Amino acid sequence: MARIARRLGATPQQRGSLSGESCPDLFELTDGDFAVIGTEATAALEPHLPPDASRADHERIVVITRETLIRAKKDIPDA
């Protein structure tokens, strides 16, 4: 199983979290995949997926803040 290799972007505290206990985050894994900590929003967003998008039973739709992704952009490798 892959492990967390590094955080992408700023820490929750650097983004203004006072507690740092429950904040969105992005990580690169040792196998090259990415892991996301976000707010679970499958039930709310699944009905609004475009017709060419789908979700497997084991997958969830999660939401992260715009700031989290923008501040991680510099750390996301180019394809």
Side-chain angles (χ1 to χ4, degrees):
M1 173 159 243
R3 295 179 181 259
I4 293 174
R6 68 183 179 124
R7 169 181 278 114
L8 302 176
T11 67
Q13 292 79 11
Q14 291 170 322
R15 293 191 315 268
S17 172
L18 299 177
S19 68
E21 293 178 4
S22 59
C23 297
D25 228 330
L26 293 167
F27 301 96
E28 185 172 2
L29 304 179
T30 54
D31 66 1
D33 285 345
F34 298 91
V36 177
I37 297 173
T39 302
E40 206 286 329
T42 304
L45 293 177
E46 187 168 31
H48 305 288
L49 287 173
D52 60 348
S54 62
R55 179 190 66 81
D57 286 342
H58 66 277
E59 296 173 325
R60 301 292 174 263
I61 300 170
V62 298
V63 175
I64 60 171
T65 64
R66 178 180 178 84
E67 181 184 9
T68 300
L69 185 57
I70 288 172
R71 291 188 66 174
K73 182 179 177 182
K74 67 178 179 56
D75 294 332
I76 298 172
D78 292 331

